[in-house]
Amino acid sequence: MDIKQLKFLIALDETRHFGQAAARCHITQPTLSMRLRSLEEELELPLVNRGQRFEGFTAPGERVLAWARTVLAAYDGLQAEAAACRGNLVGTLRLGVVPLSSFDPVPLMQRLHAEHPNLRFELSALSSEQILEQLANNRLDLGVSYLERLDGERFDSLAFSETHMGLLYDQRFFSFGEAPLSWDSLIELPMGMLTSGMHFRQSIDHNFHSRGLMPQPLLQTDSVHQLLQAVHGGLCCAVMPLDGGLENLTDHLRLQPIESAQTLARLGLIMRRSAPRSALAEACFAIYQKSPTGS
């Protein structure tokens, strides 16, 4: 067994196609199939359901795949750690961020890339629970998530300032003047919201309900991208975090502050405490501690 075989297995999972997996790994399809069969023989387990095309993994294959991801993450971490000991940062920084975070990761990535050109980035939108799980399993290096009920014995964290909220709208369809808006003034507007299971939505609901208001959203979605498209198309307005840069996406969007509007819990930068700990994560923590804007 070698690292390449595990990379081939993961590529097959991500592409769900033998030919595409082989192309991604810069090998021929027969070579990919041969190396995967060799892995199956060594483990004495069928890993892949084969037919005329890829038909998924067997139950043992799914379990081996999870271990393959863990082993490959540890391998990448070892390479990054060795490079860090030489004064360089290489590899891929894996960052998970909750939807509608007020934290903009771009300045941090820009600074890291300027100082370490060989560094790459993998950015994922995940729930708070997924971020903590993947940090614990060493599938993420850093997370940006809510700090309520965070286990301080398992994770280090750097708290951000409170997240304040505003109303995002397209000025071609709506106009609200300059003054901060009240929650009462939002109740009659066509509103778009994330689905109720998301933490940011829970903060919005709390702000409405604590004032005796019951919003009836025109649109609910679990996709931030679709929500932004609906706002830009004039279908609705949406409560969004201030200072997240969303109003800069087009010339037509505006983000109006809302009075007494903040999320229920603070966001923060989170890193696992136990070894092996990512050298990339530690470098990001150090940068953020020196400059909270990441600039």
Side-chain angles (χ1 to χ4, degrees):
M1 185 189 307
D2 58 41
I3 289 295
K4 287 185 178 181
Q5 286 173 301
L6 303 184
K7 289 182 178 180
F8 298 160
L9 196 68
I10 291 170
L12 183 59
D13 177 50
E14 292 177 348
T15 62
R16 317 299 288 183
H17 188 278
F18 285 107
Q20 293 177 17
R24 176 181 291 192
C25 298
H26 307 292
I27 58 174
T28 64
Q29 184 172 331
T31 299
L32 178 84
S33 297
M34 179 188 69
R35 295 301 304 278
L36 291 180
R37 286 191 183 278
S38 176
L39 181 62
E40 290 176 317
E41 291 171 3
E42 181 174 348
L43 295 176
E44 298 182 357
L45 288 171
L47 304 179
V48 180
N49 290 318
R50 294 176 174 84
Q52 293 295 325
R53 61 193 66 178
F54 175 73
E55 296 180 357
F57 292 94
T58 64
E62 292 286 355
R63 298 181 67 171
V64 170
L65 181 65
W67 277 104
R69 291 188 180 279
T70 299
V71 171
L72 195 59
Y75 175 81
D76 290 341
L78 187 153
Q79 296 288 346
E81 187 71 30
C85 291
R86 298 192 300 268
N88 301 315
L89 290 182
V90 300
T92 301
L93 175 69
R94 302 161 300 168
L95 177 63
V97 181
V98 290
L100 293 184
S101 164
S102 57
F103 174 77
D104 182 0
V106 173
L108 182 61
M109 292 190 292
Q110 288 173 328
R111 176 168 177 175
L112 282 167
H113 181 63
E115 295 179 4
H116 307 281
N118 292 322
L119 191 59
R120 298 292 179 263
F121 304 93
E122 184 177 297
L123 190 60
S124 303
L126 302 167
S127 68
S128 296
E129 293 77 11
Q130 289 173 320
I131 287 173
L132 295 181
E133 177 187 359
Q134 293 193 26
L135 282 171
N137 294 335
N138 203 24
R139 293 173 62 187
L140 285 177
D141 300 304
L142 283 176
V144 174
S145 185
Y146 297 97
L147 300 182
E148 62 178 356
R149 298 188 295 274
L150 183 71
D151 186 347
E153 293 186 356
R154 300 178 63 200
F155 302 101
D156 288 329
S157 64
L158 293 172
F160 302 154
S161 58
E162 281 191 335
T163 299
H164 294 274
M165 297 185 284
L167 185 73
L168 187 71
Y169 64 94
D170 191 306
Q171 63 178 346
R172 295 172 298 177
F173 305 98
F174 300 93
S175 178
F176 299 104
E178 300 297 329
L181 301 170
S182 68
W183 287 97
D184 295 75
S185 69
L186 307 185
I187 200 68
E188 299 299 329
L189 293 175
M191 296 295 294
M193 296 185 183
L194 293 177
T195 49
S196 58
M198 296 188 172
H199 199 291
F200 194 80
R201 169 65 185 276
Q202 293 170 13
S203 293
I204 295 172
D205 287 345
H206 173 78
N207 277 281
F208 275 120
H209 297 164
S210 64
R211 294 167 174 82
L213 304 172
M214 297 297 293
Q216 300 294 323
L218 174 64
L219 168 68
Q220 297 187 76
T221 176
D222 61 359
S223 168
V224 174
H225 176 70
Q226 295 295 335
L227 185 55
L228 291 174
Q229 282 190 317
V231 171
H232 186 252
L235 176 67
C236 58
C237 306
V239 177
M240 296 286 188
L242 294 178
D243 304 320
L246 295 174
E247 72 276 20
N248 299 322
L249 293 177
T250 78
D251 293 335
H252 304 298
L253 292 179
R254 293 292 180 269
L255 191 55
Q256 191 95 351
I258 303 171
E259 295 175 348
S260 303
Q262 53 272 331
T263 54
L264 292 170
R266 286 200 177 194
L267 285 165
L269 197 63
I270 304 172
M271 174 174 62
R272 61 182 281 164
R273 299 193 72 176
S274 59
R277 189 157 79 169
S278 165
L280 306 183
E282 291 178 341
C284 286
F285 247 54
I287 287 176
Y288 193 81
Q289 283 176 313
K290 293 176 182 177
S291 175
T293 62
S295 61

